[in-house]
Amino acid sequence: FRSPGGKSSYADIHAADPRSDLAVLRLINPNAAPAKAIALGDADKLERGAFVLTLSNPFAAGFRDGQPSASWGILSNIRRRAFTHLKEEDRVKPFQYYGTLLQTDARMHLGCSGGAVLNLSGEMVGLITSVAAIQGGETPGGFAIPVNAAMRRIIDVLKRGEEVDYGFLGVGFDERNANDNGKTGVRLTVYKGSPAFVQGKLADGDILLGVNGVPIHDIDDVFVNVGVHLAGTKVKLLVRHGINERTAEVTLSKLYVPGKRIASSLGSRPFRRGLRVDYSSLVAQQPSRWNYIPEGVLISELQPEGSADRAKLKVGDVITHVNAVKVTTPA
């Protein structure tokens, strides 16, 4: 890290998350490079045609003196998706593949990734990503991850050095009839034992119309509007079965996200009695002996020669009761 004036510091990765494509760095010697934080804005308030500014380091030109380059343009579009050739089996894709990106005509080159998109109040409303441009999208111009309430929740978790636990509803989709013949909503299949099945009493064939008041038009809308909420969060679903509409409130479990994650803190799930536990929803999202989501919590880690290890417990076991009391969440 190098700031204007030549002061610098090395940095460690404090936490990183593949789904949001975000990382938080910790300066090893922050006194060597004092920096004032840019105020965060709300990208959800942006409209097409709004003027924006960018600060970035194209081709790392500002590395020697710490001086970023500035550019300006307009917000060309919102809720854009990255151009991708991901395989269909890569079910859990980064958010930028689900139509979340901001698009601007401000010129961006290789090396601009990680730069700031600012509104005219000087607030950061986007974080530049080079992925879309590199893969052949509309140029000149570039794309940015929006800084809004959803992304701030994720950033707050990473600032604590913790792994991001994304919400899991426990539904699938009938691709042949996903949007109910062109009407608003998507037709669901529901996993046994999932939050949607147990708490929301949803069933195969139900039509999901909205999440927290946001209309659902296609499958990507579900991934975005459920996925930006964290495990343990309550969401309100608007559901139709036949001609009848109703609401269901569901507390989300945890989504399995492949890819490399970095966390410097165990967060709210430290070792207890020589073990760590996680949401049991993870066992049904990976190749395993389970074809449903069991009620309880999953043993995710054991300390060698710890109490749990000596008791012959194993990683992958599911704990259903503690002292005859039913347990359903890590907390």
Side-chain angles (χ1 to χ4, degrees), residues 77-157:
N77 216 326
I78 56 177
R79 288 188 283 276
R80 304 295 278 175
R81 72 186 65 207
F83 295 85
T84 176
H85 300 290
L86 288 180
K87 299 176 182 178
E88 282 304 310
E89 57 264 31
D90 294 334
R91 182 172 175 271
V92 181
K93 302 179 178 70
F95 283 127
Q96 59 199 21
Y97 297 107
Y98 289 123
T100 60
L101 295 176
L102 304 175
Q103 180 186 0
T104 173
D105 68 352
R107 187 171 294 277
M108 298 180 192
H109 300 284
L110 197 63
C112 289
S113 182
V117 176
L118 311 171
N119 60 22
L120 295 189
S121 297
E123 298 169 328
M124 180 173 167
V125 291
L127 189 71
I128 299 170
T129 174
S130 297
V131 175
I134 291 173
Q135 294 185 351
E138 305 161 36
T139 56
F143 296 83
I145 299 169
V147 175
N148 52 20
M151 285 300 169
R152 283 199 297 271
R153 286 195 294 268
I154 296 169
I155 291 170
D156 286 341
V157 174

Side-chain angles (χ1 to χ4, degrees), residues 160-204:
R160 297 195 299 267
E162 299 172 12
E163 176 186 341
V164 182
D165 292 343
Y166 290 100
F168 174 75
L169 181 59
V171 298
F173 311 99
D174 184 352
E175 300 284 353
R176 296 166 300 178
N177 197 12
N179 67 347
D180 194 30
N181 297 322
K183 299 177 183 178
T184 299
V186 294
R187 187 180 298 275
L188 303 177
T189 59
V190 183
Y191 302 145
K192 291 183 180 179
S194 70
F197 181 88
V198 176
Q199 303 170 37
K201 301 294 191 297
L202 272 63
D204 291 349

